[in-house]
Amino acid sequence: MVLEKIGNWTIATDRNLSQPLLVSNECYISLSHFFQKSSSQLLSVTVESQSHPAGLDSLYAQPWVWASGGLGNMDECPLQVCLAGGTLRDSLVFASACIVPGCNAMDLAADDFPARMHLASRSRVDTYEDPVLIESYVTSFKRLAKINRFLKTGWVCGEYKAQWSIGTSLYLLVLAVLLILSCIGTFRTKPKTKSEPASTTTRSSEDNSSIDHVEEKKDDMEEQDRIQSPEVSRIQETDFWDAWDMSIHLKKLCCQRPETACLDGLKFGSILWVIFGHVIAIQSSTGPGYMNPSKFLPPHGFTTTLGGQLFFSARFAVDTFLCISGYLVVHILKTKLQKQAENGATWWELLCLFFIRILRILPLYAMCLGFWMFVAPHLGSGPFWYQWQFYMEPCDKYWWTNFLFVNNFLPWGRPTTDSCFYHSWYLALDIQLFLLCGPWLVLLYLRSKTAGRRMTALLWTLSVAVTAFLSYTRKWSVNTLDGGSAVLFDIEGYAKPHVRAQSYLAGMLVAMLPPSTVYYGARTARAAMVTALAAMATMSLITVTGAYSRRACQFQELPSTSDCGSSWSSEATFLYTAFGRAIWSICVATVMRLCLERQGGLVGAMLSWNIWTPLAHLSFGVYLIHPMIIFIWKLGDRQKSTFRFFSYLMDFTSITVVSFVFALLAALVVEFPFCTLMRPLSSRSSRTSRVQEEESPLVVQSIESMTLEYQNSYGTTGVTR
């Protein structure tokens, strides 16, 4: 048994012991004093506030959807609230107890706790006006002890409060500085420019027009004097404060690029799908969980219905974003690398390109990671708030893996949820795919279009073949409730580049193909679109045929040897695991190709609506922020929630709106200002050293192009298992 203590909060995690665990003297004395001195009213409230499970028979009757009858009314407890279960990341709280503060989690987990409590109660039971009440109180602890030993969980007592650290203070200081800079940049008195009279004055007559023209000429002369003067610091100051002007960034947020407008709709729809999957996954597996898990889990819950399959198939949204990212890499770099393809690119140029790509996402990524580590644990309280420490422990050991973009591999041999800021595995994956595939394939394509296409198609085929081989030999399963097979896939394949590369390469191939009019007529384009959409719908909903028809497997169980998980044959599971992602990438690539070539019809028109543009530009921030919103929301609960689809939709809508609001603030204060600051930096370096620009033109050219690419590509994550 392992005991952790922070203030009056204690947690005892169940472990195999060579010696019996005994109740402390302090706990026994406190119990004796409570039974001797407490009034009937105090004891009544104490008994009424806690759980009253029936015992192991109830668990045996419904072993896979057991909810223990609820958690009582914890806010009513006049003593100390202790929770049974929930001491590990993959276990849920099943009961609450109201106990004297002199007992900690280790005392409740002791082998002799029920007997010692019974002994302490005997001093009063014969003289108490309602002895049945005392017997009920003691009996409930006996039942809780039996259930706890059977489930091999522990106890949590008290209310957890995160410890204030120097990192928290430094983070808040940096955030305050950024907010001050943004306020100054936005509300400062802006210098006049020649465009201001035209935008602020209404020309109602020729006289006014002449006056405006004279004023514009005057402003032009003043501006020219400023440029020719040696006051370089003045120019730099203007550039710096413009970078923090939120009004400028708000205008740019709605700017749509017509050539890639349809991607905005794809990105917005995909990020909604990701949030849809994360909300329901975190609600059901974190904090108190559901009061009625049988209404959610197989074999008769929501997840067995046709609509419930959208929760499990939300993982395809990740592949959609990877496909978009792959397309934009070629779309941007085939123009920027044209000179390097002709004359040969140096290692320094390619290294700078890789560095700039990282630098573009790092400010917002670092701010969100810092918020997750240093601020979020201080934003709430409650009996379940202690579970924040489960998500902080990986960050204490492995935070550096996030900045090296290897957090999808480390800690080695563990599921993605055991990494620091676990949903950020997508960023590591995208950076790795860019390093392995991006510039090299684009340079090959620019030198020989046929060779570039063939190599990209060959690598796509290789990724599919590797996925199929590992799916067969390692017995992978992408069906989330398939126990050991699903866990093995999560560890070895879910966030790894050799599996996900097929979606990325499919997007790259879209940008390398010649105009689609060579292949498609109007009728053929419509048929291709309908076929692609039908195939995507099939891949999303086909799991309703039996992939989740039986109760969920435990981690050590397999569907092939236990009556759990998917009822599919091993062959069907293999085919879906091995080739489902390949089929999806082909379909998404087809839809993208048709829409980008203006042959998408109604689908292309809907995806290109202007309303999606600002929302799509915020998708990177929403991807980073929305899990934090969900955890802060759910870990602050004080009771189990009841699963109802309408209630879930309200939670989903609320979390989505809040995530976009905070993503907008993060973009205006962090993401866009730092991105803007990179452009003046490159301009100043080119003015001071013309030779340096000629030696490394790729560095100067790539900064602005990376802005477009990441505004169009980032913003997703996988579905929490």
Side-chain angles (χ1 to χ4, degrees), residues 228-288:
Q228 294 176 353
S229 69
E231 299 178 2
V232 180
S233 60
R234 174 66 179 172
I235 299 176
Q236 294 178 347
E237 180 184 356
T238 303
D239 292 342
F240 177 80
W241 290 117
D242 283 345
W244 300 98
D245 192 333
M246 292 185 287
S247 61
I248 295 177
H249 299 319
L250 278 173
K251 295 176 182 177
K252 293 181 179 180
L253 189 66
C254 299
C255 293
Q256 185 184 75
R257 293 181 178 268
E259 67 274 14
T260 57
C262 64
L263 300 182
D264 294 339
L266 277 176
K267 287 177 289 180
F268 177 66
S270 296
I271 196 62
L272 289 185
W273 202 2
V274 168
I275 299 174
F276 179 90
H278 274 161
V279 170
I280 202 169
I282 296 173
Q283 275 188 350
S284 62
S285 62
T286 304

Side-chain angles (χ1 to χ4, degrees), residues 523-534:
R523 182 176 299 178
T524 305
R526 285 194 298 269
M529 177 64 76
V530 171
T531 302
L533 295 178

Side-chain angles (χ1 to χ4, degrees), residues 10 78 132 169 220 260 286 289 299 334 356 365 377 416 494 542 544 600 619:
T10 57
V132 176
S169 301
D220 287 343
T260 57
T286 304
K334 68 181 180 182
I356 290 170
Y365 185 24
T416 54
Y494 183 71
I542 196 173
V544 77
S619 59

Side-chain angles (χ1 to χ4, degrees), residues 7 33 82 110 157 176 203 321 330 425 518 527 530 532 539 548 550 592 668:
H33 185 270
C82 291
C157 292
R203 293 178 172 84
F321 275 96
V330 180
W425 63 264
V518 175
V530 171
M539 297 305 300
Y548 301 99
R550 298 187 291 184
M592 287 174 53
L668 296 178

Side-chain angles (χ1 to χ4, degrees), residues 636-683:
D637 283 348
R638 306 189 72 86
Q639 288 291 337
K640 288 181 177 289
S641 56
T642 301
F643 176 77
R644 289 193 308 133
F645 185 67
F646 181 76
S647 299
Y648 162 73
L649 286 181
M650 295 301 294
D651 288 343
F652 164 71
T653 303
S654 302
I655 290 169
T656 300
V657 172
V658 173
S659 298
F660 271 97
V661 170
F662 278 96
L664 175 61
L665 294 176
L668 296 178
V669 176
V670 180
E671 183 182 8
F672 294 165
F674 280 96
C675 180
T676 304
L677 286 172
M678 295 171 67
R679 293 197 294 269
L681 180 64
S682 64
S683 299

Side-chain angles (χ1 to χ4, degrees), residues 202-213:
T202 303
R203 293 178 172 84
S204 57
S205 64
E206 293 181 1
D207 293 336
N208 289 338
S209 177
S210 300
I211 294 174
D212 291 339
H213 182 69

Side-chain angles (χ1 to χ4, degrees), residues 6-187:
I6 301 177
N8 64 347
W9 174 84
T10 57
I11 180 172
T13 305
D14 186 79
R15 294 289 187 273
N16 294 324
L17 297 174
S18 58
Q19 298 179 356
L21 186 65
L22 302 178
V23 174
S24 65
N25 289 331
E26 180 186 357
C27 177
Y28 178 72
I29 293 172
S30 299
L31 286 172
S32 300
H33 185 270
F34 170 74
F35 284 115
Q36 291 173 7
K37 303 296 184 180
S38 63
S39 63
S40 60
Q41 290 87 355
L42 178 61
L43 184 60
S44 298
V45 174
T46 300
V47 174
E48 189 178 70
S49 65
Q50 69 175 25
S51 302
H52 296 279
L56 287 175
D57 288 340
S58 175
L59 190 151
Y60 293 149
Q62 44 182 352
W64 311 113
V65 291
W66 181 69
S68 74
L71 301 179
N73 189 353
M74 290 183 287
D75 291 335
E76 203 176 73
C77 175
L79 305 175
Q80 173 187 226
V81 174
C82 291
L83 303 176
T87 57
L88 300 175
R89 188 166 176 172
D90 55 0
S91 67
L92 289 173
V93 173
F94 64 85
S96 70
C98 188
I99 193 69
V100 292
C103 297
N104 59 33
M106 188 73 82
D107 292 317
L108 269 70
D111 299 299
D112 64 338
F113 181 81
R116 299 282 279 178
M117 173 177 259
H118 177 76
L119 181 61
S121 68
R122 300 309 298 174
S123 61
R124 181 77 182 277
V125 68
D126 294 333
T127 61
Y128 200 71
E129 59 187 42
D130 188 3
V132 176
L133 192 61
I134 295 181
E135 292 293 342
S136 174
Y137 186 55
V138 174
T139 300
S140 65
F141 278 94
K142 292 180 180 179
R143 291 172 177 171
L144 286 173
K146 289 182 179 179
I147 297 172
N148 215 331
R149 290 195 194 98
F150 176 79
L151 296 176
K152 296 183 178 180
T153 57
W155 285 87
V156 180
C157 292
E159 194 154 305
Y160 174 83
K161 291 185 178 179
Q163 299 295 298
W164 195 269
S165 65
I166 297 178
T168 304
S169 301
L170 291 176
Y171 180 90
L172 293 177
L173 178 62
V174 171
L175 183 60
V177 170
L178 294 177
L179 289 173
I180 292 173
L181 290 174
S182 297
C183 290
I184 295 176
T186 303
F187 299 108

